[in-house]
């Protein structure tokens, strides 16, 4: 930049006899030569350099390069802005008027404005990123909930006849053996009788399972982040399962109470879901929808802990086995060529098996609570008993085995239900591309 100056440049300096400061600038491309880029300090957001032309010109030309914070031009991180200030005809020593461009820009607010603009742009980008993350998080949560809901719909519809038999034993106190009870329902209500109340059951179980699955994955991952472990511990699995069961129970018990009332003796006359809901509100008050909440929570906490904990433990044990590691490696090599079923980490059969085992353990461990809860939901205000009194009454009337009335048909219902539920849930997470919470 020394020596030969264009004629227009010399004319510009000499043309104005008064003290002047000329400001200008240009945007720099990201392919600057190293000799020029070396003027920029890699550790700061701006760099400056001063160049003095020959003394005969009695002028000082200052350059300053401003670039995006953390994105130096020398690193190929984007373009910069070259700001130029020219002092002319000053009264400094030897007639030179020498003024640092940084000082001048600071006095006039130009540099501050530019830095503020850059900071504002960065803040805007940060806000946009957060908005995108919130939007993607909400979408992922919705897909996660849908995966659980679809799993509940499919599994409950498949096992609805077994669910009906279980309720006959628990609610109506049937003493007939299983074969006789099946014949009775078939002869009196036909084939559709085995799916009686299934729509209401889906309305209850779909949101319940959706919340349950989502809450478990969320709680488990959060506990793992808090503990700093690379993998969830067994205690964290059981704790997350218990918390998920409580969460889903509190939110969904009103629908369960309505369904129980509908299938009870005289429930046909109440007129479906809306009629039963209206009847309960008018005759017993809003809190009647939460009958049996305490035993439900006492039941679902250990049930959720066992159901999710056992499945997760079995799954983790398999994935850490040589066979499991080999399967994961094969899945990575297959990539996009694999269909949804082939992408199941446990495979179809093992997912069904582990789901059935988890369901059986959970049902057997908490079945007495289920019996007491159903009896509480059947009570009216005038003859309402506490959970302990209800349990004692059941034992007095039928002995301890009465707390396990209907366990066999219940297990027959739970085994395929839990198996199908886990299979459909894992399948839908792959189809919907659900990310880990």
């Amino acid at each position: 930049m020394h020596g030969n100056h264009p004629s227009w440049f010399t004319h510009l300096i000499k043309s104005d006899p008064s003290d002047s400061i000329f400001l200008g600038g240009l945007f720099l491309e990201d392919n600057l030569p190293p000799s020029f880029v070396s003027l920029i300090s890699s550790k700061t957001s701006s760099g400056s350099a001063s160049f003095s032309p020959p003394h005969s010109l009695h002028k000082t030309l200052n350059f300053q390069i401003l670039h995006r914070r953390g994105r130096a031009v020398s690193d190929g991180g984007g373009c910069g802005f070259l700001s130029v200030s020219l002092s002319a005809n000053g009264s400094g020593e030897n007639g030179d008027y020498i003024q640092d461009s940084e000082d001048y820009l600071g006095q006039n607010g130009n540099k501050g404005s530019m830095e503020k603009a850059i900071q504002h742009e960065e803040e805007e980008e940060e806000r946009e990123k957060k908005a995108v993350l919130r939007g993607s998080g909400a979408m992922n949560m919705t897909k996660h909930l849908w995966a659980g809901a679809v799993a509940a719909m499919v599994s409950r519809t498949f096992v609805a006849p077994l669910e009906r038999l279980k309720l006959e034993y628990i609610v109506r106190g049937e003493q007939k053996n299983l074969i006789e009870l099946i014949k009775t329902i078939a002869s009196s209500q036909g084939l559709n009788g085995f799916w009686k109340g299934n729509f209401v059951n889906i309305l209850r179980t779909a949101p319940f399972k959706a919340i349950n699955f989502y809450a478990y994955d969320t709680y488990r991952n959060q506990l793992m982040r808090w503990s700093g472990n690379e993998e969830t511990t067994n205690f964290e699995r059981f704790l997350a399962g218990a918390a998920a069961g409580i969460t889903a129970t509190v939110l969904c018990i009103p629908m369960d109470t309505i369904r129980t009332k509908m299938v009870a003796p005289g429930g046909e006359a109440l007129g479906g879901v809306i009629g039963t809901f209206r009847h309960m509100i008018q005759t017993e008050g809003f809190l009647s929808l939460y009958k049996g909440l305490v035993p439900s929570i006492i039941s679902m906490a250990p049930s959720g802990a066992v159901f999710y904990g056992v499945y997760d433990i079995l799954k983790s044990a398999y994935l850490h086995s040589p066979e499991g590691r080999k399967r994961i490696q094969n899945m990575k090599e297959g990539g996009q060529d694999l269909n949804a079923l082939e992408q199941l980490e446990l495979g179809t059969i093992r997912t069904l098996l582990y789901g059935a085992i988890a369901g059986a353990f959970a049902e057997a461990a908490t079945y007495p609570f289920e019996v007491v809860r159903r009896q509480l939901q059947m009570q009216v205000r005038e003859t309402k008993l506490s959970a302990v009194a209800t349990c004692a009454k059941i034992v007095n009337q039928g002995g301890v085995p009465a707390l396990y009335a209907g366990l066999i048909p219940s297990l027959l219902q739970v085994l395929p239900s839990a198996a199908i539920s886990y299979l459909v849930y894992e399948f839908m997470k792959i189809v919907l591309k659900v990310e880990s919470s």
Side-chain angles (χ1 to χ4, degrees):
M1 297 189 61
H2 295 274
N4 298 327
H5 300 280
S7 59
W8 63 267
F9 186 74
T10 304
H11 174 73
L12 175 65
I13 296 176
K14 293 182 177 181
S15 61
D16 191 352
S18 62
D19 289 349
S20 302
I21 297 294
F22 298 95
L23 294 177
L26 57 129
F27 288 97
L28 305 177
E29 296 183 357
D30 55 0
N31 56 350
L32 295 172
S35 60
F36 189 82
V37 176
S38 63
L39 297 173
I40 304 172
S41 172
S42 61
K43 296 183 179 180
T44 61
S45 61
S46 65
S48 64
S50 297
F51 300 88
S52 297
H55 290 291
S56 59
L57 293 176
H58 302 295
K59 306 292 180 283
T60 297
L61 192 62
N62 293 307
F63 295 88
Q64 184 179 49
I65 299 175
L66 301 177
H67 53 89
R68 292 291 298 277
R69 197 170 286 130
R71 295 177 59 190
V73 178
S74 59
D75 295 332
C79 66
F81 182 78
L82 174 66
S83 66
V84 182
S85 63
L86 173 66
S87 62
N89 293 335
S91 57
E93 185 180 352
N94 298 326
D96 293 343
Y97 187 102
I98 303 174
Q99 183 171 0
D100 185 26
S101 64
E102 184 172 342
D103 293 339
Y104 183 84
L105 288 172
Q107 292 171 5
N108 287 271
N110 293 344
K111 179 184 176 185
S113 299
M114 178 171 291
E115 289 185 342
K116 288 180 179 179
I118 292 174
Q119 183 179 2
H120 178 71
E121 184 180 350
E122 290 175 346
E123 291 174 353
E124 285 291 330
E125 289 182 358
E126 187 67 23
R127 281 195 289 269
E128 289 177 2
K129 289 179 181 178
K130 290 181 178 179
V132 170
L133 288 175
R134 284 196 297 268
S136 62
M139 177 60 69
N140 188 65
M141 182 184 73
T142 302
K143 294 190 293 185
H144 207 152
L145 290 170
W146 267 111
V150 172
M153 293 177 191
V154 174
S155 62
R156 287 295 176 177
T157 300
F158 186 84
V159 300
L162 296 173
E163 175 76 7
R164 173 66 195 279
L165 294 174
K166 183 181 78 170
L167 285 177
E168 289 291 332
Y169 279 107
I170 295 177
V171 177
R172 297 179 183 268
E174 281 288 350
Q175 301 298 320
K176 299 177 182 178
N177 63 46
L178 185 60
I179 303 301
E180 290 178 350
L181 181 58
I182 292 174
K183 290 180 179 179
T184 301
I185 295 175
S187 60
S188 61
Q189 302 177 35
L191 189 61
N192 291 336
F194 291 100
W195 276 269
K196 180 182 178 181
N198 184 56
F199 176 70
V200 181
N201 196 22
I202 288 177
L203 291 180
R204 175 185 69 89
T205 57
F208 181 85
K209 273 298 181 184
I211 295 171
N212 219 335
F213 274 120
Y214 175 76
Y216 173 71
D217 283 349
T218 302
Y219 293 154
R220 181 194 59 187
N221 292 334
Q222 188 61 52
L223 287 171
M224 184 174 63
R225 283 192 287 268
W226 285 345
S227 65
N229 298 324
E230 295 182 358
E231 187 177 356
T232 313
T233 64
N234 291 342
F235 174 76
E236 290 170 346
R237 291 186 178 105
F238 286 121
L239 182 60
I246 293 172
T247 302
T249 299
V250 171
L251 295 176
C252 301
I253 194 173
M255 204 66 219
D256 186 52
T257 304
I258 292 174
R259 176 179 177 273
T260 303
K261 196 78 170 179
M262 287 178 61
V263 300
E268 297 87 348
L270 297 178
V273 178
I274 303 300
T276 304
F277 173 78
R278 187 184 297 114
H279 173 79
M280 294 184 68
I281 295 296
Q282 292 174 350
T283 59
E284 303 177 59
F286 179 78
L287 292 180
S288 65
L289 297 173
Y290 288 87
K291 285 180 180 180
L293 177 60
V294 174
S296 293
I297 290 177
I298 295 174
S299 170
M300 284 308 302
S303 176
V306 175
F307 183 69
Y308 294 107
V310 169
Y311 178 84
D312 234 11
I313 290 172
L314 293 173
K315 180 177 179 179
S316 177
Y318 171 74
L319 294 180
H320 284 84
S321 67
E323 183 182 354
R325 292 194 186 97
K326 183 178 180 181
R327 177 174 177 81
I328 296 299
Q329 183 62 34
N330 292 336
M331 287 171 57
K332 290 180 180 179
E333 293 175 357
Q336 299 297 326
D337 296 333
L338 302 177
N339 59 42
L341 286 176
E342 291 172 337
Q343 293 180 46
L344 291 172
E345 292 180 322
L346 297 177
T348 303
I349 302 301
R350 192 170 276 101
T351 301
L352 289 170
L353 178 61
Y354 288 177
I357 293 173
F361 271 88
E363 187 72 8
T366 61
Y367 191 78
F369 296 107
E370 173 79 358
V371 173
V372 173
R373 180 172 67 90
R374 296 290 185 182
Q375 289 295 330
L376 284 170
Q377 290 175 336
M378 290 297 303
Q379 294 175 2
V380 296
R381 182 181 299 175
E382 293 76 12
T383 59
K384 186 177 181 180
L385 299 174
S386 66
V388 175
T390 301
C391 181
K393 180 182 177 181
I394 294 172
V395 173
N396 289 335
Q397 291 178 348
V400 175
L403 293 174
Y404 292 89
L407 178 61
I408 299 302
S410 181
L411 286 175
L412 292 176
Q413 175 253 328
V414 165
L415 289 173
S417 175
I420 295 172
S421 181
Y422 261 116
L423 176 64
V424 176
Y425 174 66
E426 298 282 14
F427 176 81
M428 290 303 299
K429 283 204 300 182
I430 295 172
V431 172
L432 297 176
K433 295 180 172 61
V434 176
E435 298 175 1
S436 180
S437 302

